[in-house]
Amino acid sequence: MRTLDTTEILLRSASRLIIAAVLLMTLSASWIPPSASAGGVAVALPSLAPMIKVASPAVVNIATRGVLTERVPRNNPLLQDPFFRRFFNLPNESTVRHRKFQSAGSGVIVDARKGYIVTNRHVIENASEITVTLLDTRRVTASVVGSDEGTDIAVLKVQEAHLAEMPLGDSSHLEVGDWVVAIGNPFGLQHTVTVGIVSALGRTGINPHGYEDFIQTDASINPGNSGGALVNTDGELIGINSAILASENGGNIGIGFAIPVNMVKAVMQQIITFGAVKRGALGIKLADLSVERAESLGLVNARGVLVEDVAHGSPAERAGIKPGDIVVSINGMALESAMQLRNAIALLRVGQTVELRVWHKGIIRPVPVSITGRGADA
């Protein structure tokens, strides 16, 4: 390995300093401070503050109190031993325990005149007392209009004047990369605002027993944000913050989920009208259409939903739908998955008629079907 003498080291160091100085001067000349234009005239940066000032009064803090009734094993080690109970043929003994609880979340005022507030069902579940705190610190008692376990949506009602409501947007227009703002009360910090983008759409697997079509966002969502607003840059509600993938200590790791506002609207309207959701059904069992199945049928692509079974006497059977058919669209909306069709049917009201486009033996035809109450998979 060659060793450099002192003169060569000094020359190289000087050269590096000159190059660094030239680069710094070049960057300084080309960079214009964000608060000023090239001509030295001040330019105001875009700010979300005006929108947030309008939207924030519609977001509320929800505090709940209640009593949970739990069955717990008796405090006897022998009775808790399954072998001991089996040997003496003893029943599973337990005792009832009543435990007081209190929790907090968020909500969004969607009808100021009638006092309707949308939140998550899990925020108000088992609550006997619900207190809503407004941005101006007013506190009012809320009653439950109704809730839906399948979508984790609940509607509350308050009797209070001078409320602010948030306009409802259209979540079908969302695209990955759109800017969004989350407003809520994480960890009890009232009216906290975080900003991010739509990271993904149509997420499922978060609540496998429910109806899912989640918006994924990297806007910080933490415990207490549940039921709060996900807002677009126009100040419109486009989602209700509902769930997170959390770190070990329960904090945000940049992956949060919101229920799309179009799903919220459909559920909210039914809750307000009927006090609950009357889910529709076609009477068919669904499955995702695999690439192999599509190829075996000679389809150009694997888009659509496979009909695995049709319930006897169901609306689908009366409409002529057969096992092995493929539902390509519903009311003009192209279908990509069984969950998508399941969600769409479940959010329709009983008695509505929908138009399906169904592939049957190489022919795609329109099929009108009337929705009835829940029965089979969809």
Side-chain angles (χ1 to χ4, degrees), residues 96-335:
V96 175
R97 180 178 67 182
H98 301 288
R99 177 172 61 86
K100 292 183 179 180
F101 76 91
Q102 59 183 29
S103 63
S106 306
V108 185
I109 302 172
V110 293
D111 190 325
R113 186 174 63 86
K114 296 181 179 179
Y116 289 131
I117 297 171
V118 172
T119 185
N120 286 140
R121 182 182 186 273
H122 72 259
V123 170
I124 54 89
E125 189 174 11
N126 298 315
S128 57
E129 179 184 334
I130 303 173
T131 303
V132 170
T133 303
L134 307 176
L135 180 62
D136 59 11
T137 70
R138 282 182 290 168
R139 292 188 177 184
V140 292
T141 300
S143 59
V144 179
V145 179
S147 64
D148 178 53
E149 185 177 6
T151 55
D152 193 25
I153 294 170
V155 178
L156 309 179
K157 185 178 176 64
V158 295
Q159 300 287 347
E160 185 72 9
H162 310 297
L163 297 176
E165 69 181 48
M166 187 175 292
L168 305 183
D170 185 350
S171 51
S172 68
H173 293 162
L174 281 177
E175 295 183 10
V176 174
D178 285 347
W179 288 102
V180 289
V181 176
I183 308 176
N185 304 277
F187 299 110
L189 300 172
Q190 293 195 5
H191 284 84
T192 297
V193 176
T194 56
V195 179
I197 63 168
V198 173
S199 304
L201 296 168
R203 287 299 195 207
T204 59
I206 313 304
N207 178 18
H209 302 294
Y211 298 89
E212 303 177 300
D213 186 25
F214 286 109
I215 302 165
Q216 181 183 328
T217 178
D218 66 349
S220 290
I221 297 174
N222 287 288
N225 272 117
S226 290
L230 192 68
V231 186
N232 62 18
T233 53
D234 293 324
E236 297 171 328
L237 182 70
I238 50 92
I240 293 294
N241 299 321
S242 181
I244 60 171
L245 290 183
S247 62
E248 292 183 359
N249 62 5
N252 176 272
I253 59 172
I255 302 177
F257 302 96
I259 305 167
V261 72
N262 289 6
M263 181 179 285
V264 174
K265 283 189 283 189
V267 172
M268 178 182 69
Q269 288 166 2
Q270 290 211 45
I271 289 175
I272 291 173
T273 304
F274 306 114
V277 176
K278 297 184 176 181
R279 290 215 148 76
L282 294 177
I284 54 179
K285 186 176 181 181
L286 306 172
D288 289 333
L289 179 61
S290 66
V291 175
E292 294 78 11
R293 177 69 173 176
E295 290 176 350
S296 70
L297 296 172
L299 296 177
V300 177
N301 56 52
R303 292 186 177 180
V305 178
L306 178 65
V307 178
E308 286 193 328
D309 194 17
V310 180
H312 178 66
S314 67
E317 186 184 58
R318 292 194 294 270
I321 297 175
K322 307 290 184 182
D325 287 353
I326 296 168
V327 184
V328 177
S329 68
I330 176 171
N331 287 341
M333 179 181 71
L335 295 171

